[in-house]
Amino acid sequence: EVQLVESGGGSVQPGGSLRLSCVASGFTFSSYAMSWVRQAPGKGLEWVSSISSGTGTTRYADSVKGRFTISRDNAKNTLYLQMNSLKPEDTAVYYCSKHSTQSTYTARSYTSDQGTRVTVSS
């Protein structure tokens, strides 16, 4: 059974930083691309960033490019999202997703239903 458990969210002031983590189990983590997606209050799900398996090629939404960094530690079955220069519009629940293959260009096959909440406010 696939399990994805996020942590690291919290409340920060604009300009602050947070590091999110997602611990994966139930599948061979190193063989699959992974993504972070988020859902702001009253809005739909928004893709944030992806990282492939193998080469670790990354992609970012324009809204977070240059501020967020996605990474993975295959030895620890853990996905990370380093978020710097946070803005109020980054306020959302952040979820971890698994893709169907090693490529970030394939569909996301599983998304956590737990998430971790990030609130950016002064």
Side-chain angles (χ1 to χ4, degrees):
E1 179 188 3
V2 174
Q3 285 197 323
L4 301 171
V5 180
E6 303 93 340
S7 63
S11 294
V12 295
Q13 293 186 339
S17 297
L18 283 173
R19 188 195 197 202
L20 306 185
S21 299
C22 169
V23 177
S25 62
F27 64 103
T28 305
F29 178 74
S30 60
S31 296
Y32 292 89
M34 300 292 295
S35 283
W36 287 99
V37 296
R38 67 186 181 184
Q39 187 164 26
K43 296 190 177 181
L45 211 57
E46 175 191 18
W47 170 73
V48 174
S49 180
S50 298
I51 184 167
S52 69
S53 66
T55 61
T57 302
T58 58
R59 296 195 295 137
Y60 297 92
D62 288 343
S63 58
V64 307
K65 201 172 294 183
R67 299 187 298 120
F68 290 10
T69 302
I70 190 172
S71 62
R72 64 191 299 161
D73 185 336
N74 290 334
K76 295 182 178 179
N77 287 354
T78 302
L79 178 72
Y80 301 101
L81 186 68
Q82 177 67 44
M83 305 187 297
N84 299 329
S85 302
L86 282 162
K87 304 176 181 180
E89 51 263 44
D90 295 318
T91 295
V93 179
Y94 285 72
Y95 300 91
C96 181
S97 283
K98 169 188 172 292
H99 286 253
S100 57
T101 74
Q102 74 277 13
S103 170
T104 61
Y105 291 98
T106 56
R108 296 190 298 270
S109 58
Y110 181 87
T111 299
S112 163
D113 58 3
Q114 172 195 328
T116 187
R117 186 175 300 275
V118 172
T119 302
V120 185
S121 173
S122 55

